Amino acid sequence: MNDGLGMERSYYVATAAPFAPAPRLEGEVNADVVVIGGGYTGLHAALNAAERGFSVALLEAGRIGWGASGRNGGQIIPGWRKGASELIARYGKHEARKLFELALEARTLTINRIAQHAIPCDLHVNGHLTLAAKRADTRWMAEEAATLADVMDYPHARVLSAEEARAKVAAPDFHGGLLDSCGGHLHPLNYALGLAGAARAAGVRLYENARVTKVKTIAGVVAHTKGGAVRARYGVLACDALLEGLEPRIAGRIMPVANYLVATEPLAAPDSVIADQLAVSDSRFVVNYFRIGADGRLIFGGGERYTPSPPADIETFVRKHLLGIFPQLEPARIAYAWGGLVSITMTRMPHIGRLGDLFFAHGYSGQGVLLPALVGKVLTEAMSGTAERFDVLASLAPPEFPGGAALRSPLHVLGMLWYALRDRL
Ligand SMILES: Cc1cc2nc3c(=O)[nH]c(=O)nc-3n(C[C@H](O)[C@H](O)[C@H](O)COP(=O)(O)OP(=O)(O)OC[C@H]3O[C@@H](n4cnc5c(N)ncnc54)[C@H](O)[C@@H]3O)c2cc1C
């Protein structure tokens, strides 16, 4: 499913830290925990479990970090995909506060992991700015900043006027923005590879090119690949948008949506395009997101497709969104273009739970750089017998997409296209 999205032509692969490939799985292996999927969710789960004393084997279908984790925008956005006001409306003040605190813990855990293992992933935490695409957006932004301060005790978000926003980002068409000073960005693939290195050092047995073709959940978990099998007490299913038919009982709760990025050649004056090393996105339903990479390139994501086939030319597809925001970059050459699959849920809250001894977590809905650090920890707590925080996360379970896994696409696509059309109008 990920093939044809140009990962090998991504800026992240071109600048990846060295990582010794892991072997294929040959024959039968026993472990306390088998993790399926080598992205942030699987790697954090594996690392936490190994630190708790479990023996862990991780099976990755392709290469570690080549799913969404190694392709994304690298934007560190504190919180959930739903803002504080939406959380309160849905869950009430008390639960919303609890959820927000968990999301903040995810941020702390992520930053601490990077420091603990000295992961070279160009981390910057100077802030994340959401630009207001419509004048009306500044109203909800003001309300959101007030709710964050008053209800969540989070004084780090403030509204910028159009002029202040333009001083940060040289994009003419925005009406202001919401600046969260705890946001930031990182090199996503190097973050994943760093986690994998840490997991390996903690004793996790990593396997690549080890696609799981069948999972059995009777009396423990058995994960079968073409070349062998892992028998374990517990399993963690961490395949996100690439789950496909592996576990039909949960597949209908998430939907893969393709999203595309480009990186320009290094810009002559990158700070004049985005100041202060901020991570930036806009308030559109089909969101544009951008930041300056370590060597002064603009890394820009924009444009989604709800059909499985990628655009004929990713560069041309994304460039039109880029120039819509930064017309002055017309002369800038695009050096890299690639895409990835985001898994979204109906509520845009993740789907976390268990099927017997098989835990699963997916559907971060475009906000999965920070949350997996928390999820990996909480799944390990549950395996160790303390399920209180796991139950909180599991209570977020989104409903199935109408039509389930088979029909979710056509129906949801119609809905998404409607919102995308509203963006344009
Ligand atoms: C283009 C794009 C931009 C994004 N931008 C941002 C952003 O700026 N900020 C943000 O917070 N989030 C962003 N996200 C979301 C974020 O990247 C994801 O939520 C997060 O990486 C999910 O991590 P994961 O480990 O759950 O899944 P993945 O990283 O996708 O890992 C799943 C792994 O499971 C493996 N797998 C699948 N099936 C099997 C099988 N049968 N057997 C073995 N292994 C299997 C896959 O090969 C893959 O490596 C973006 C996502 C995309 C695609």
Side-chain angles (χ1 to χ4, degrees), residues 36-59:
I36 305 168
Y40 303 146
T41 304
L43 292 166
H44 275 290
L47 184 51
N48 276 278
E51 286 171 343
R52 280 264 183 155
F54 291 106
S55 66
V56 186
L58 182 148
L59 302 170

Side-chain angles (χ1 to χ4, degrees), residues 100-146:
F100 192 74
E101 275 163 22
L102 284 171
L104 290 187
E105 183 181 335
R107 176 185 178 277
T108 305
L109 289 169
T110 304
I111 291 172
N112 289 352
R113 273 288 178 212
I114 292 168
Q116 181 190 356
H117 304 290
I119 299 176
C121 61
D122 309 329
L123 175 69
H124 289 276
V125 273
N126 297 2
H128 171 264
L129 173 61
T130 310
L131 290 171
K134 290 182 272 160
R135 197 174 301 283
D137 291 331
T138 54
R139 273 204 300 278
W140 71 252
M141 287 178 172
E143 277 166 31
E144 181 69 4

Side-chain angles (χ1 to χ4, degrees), residues 36-42 59-63 65-77 210-213 238-243 246 259-261 289 339-342 361-362 364-370 372:
I36 305 168
Y40 303 146
T41 304
L59 302 170
E60 163 53 48
R63 293 172 68 176
W66 278 47
S69 297
R71 300 166 184 244
N72 63 61
Q75 307 236 338
I76 291 180
I77 308 170
R211 175 175 298 282
V212 173
T213 49
C239 301
D240 203 42
L242 303 167
L243 177 68
L246 186 60
N259 199 280
Y260 300 95
L261 293 100
Y289 48 98
L341 293 172
V342 185
H362 53 186
Y364 304 101
S365 303
Q367 212 152 305
V369 168
L370 293 181

Side-chain angles (χ1 to χ4, degrees), residues 253 350-354 360 378 387-398:
R253 309 284 185 110
H351 183 213
I352 296 163
R354 65 189 293 179
F360 60 82
V378 170
E388 200 184 328
R389 281 150 45 101
F390 171 78
D391 290 343
V392 173
L393 296 185
S395 74
L396 303 175

